Amino acid sequence: MNTLELARHFMDRVEVGDADGAAACHHADSKVWHNFSNETQTIAENMDLLRLMVAKCASRKYTIHRLEEIDGGYVQHHTLEVTGQNGTTHSAEAVAIVEVTGGKISAIKEWIDPTALRSVLTET
């Protein structure tokens, strides 16, 4: 699978909430950094976030606006739209720079403002 096929496959797995499938797109020691916390997550921690989204959201949709291969990986601009269990829909724009090594993701740096999504993730 080439780099852009990997990118699409990874996002397909994330969108359907397949944490194991999404994790399989990564190297075991891959890391995910987010601008809003300036913290780096392990893949296990990032997949826990995906599992939380699956539990709290009736649906997730990623609209990819730009996906471009770059040296050593790809850059992606997308909109994440989530619908909470109560039917409210929220969205956030994101840009990710993804490093790919040996056909798997080795690092993600993601810029996103999660403010609009927090209310859905904290619904009871």
Side-chain angles (χ1 to χ4, degrees):
M1 162 175 346
N2 70 35
T3 298
L4 296 183
E5 290 170 338
L6 171 65
R8 289 183 191 97
H9 178 71
F10 173 63
M11 290 309 297
D12 288 345
R13 297 296 86 216
V14 170
E15 188 169 68
V16 299
D18 178 5
D20 292 338
C25 295
H26 288 263
H27 287 284
D29 61 349
S30 183
K31 303 288 185 200
V32 179
W33 173 87
H34 291 106
N35 67 302
F36 60 87
S37 65
N38 198 30
E39 293 181 5
T40 302
Q41 294 179 317
T42 64
I43 290 309
E45 292 167 333
N46 192 252
M47 292 304 109
D48 285 345
L49 176 59
L50 176 57
R51 288 182 186 95
L52 174 65
M53 287 178 58
V54 169
K56 296 287 187 170
C57 300
S59 68
R60 290 157 316 288
K61 179 174 174 41
Y62 290 82
T63 302
I64 310 246
H65 304 291
R66 184 173 184 178
L67 177 60
E68 185 175 323
E69 188 168 2
I70 59 173
D71 190 29
Y74 63 93
V75 64
Q76 175 178 295
H77 168 217
H78 62 268
T79 302
L80 167 57
E81 184 178 292
V82 298
T83 301
Q85 298 298 346
N86 67 3
T88 61
T89 300
H90 304 275
S91 65
E93 295 290 316
V95 172
I97 298 174
V98 182
E99 296 175 28
V100 175
T101 308
K104 288 196 171 196
I105 296 169
S106 52
I108 298 176
K109 293 180 180 168
E110 184 177 47
W111 286 262
I112 186 170
D113 179 357
T115 305
L117 307 175
R118 283 196 179 115
S119 64
V120 174
L121 296 178
T122 58
E123 284 180 5
T124 55

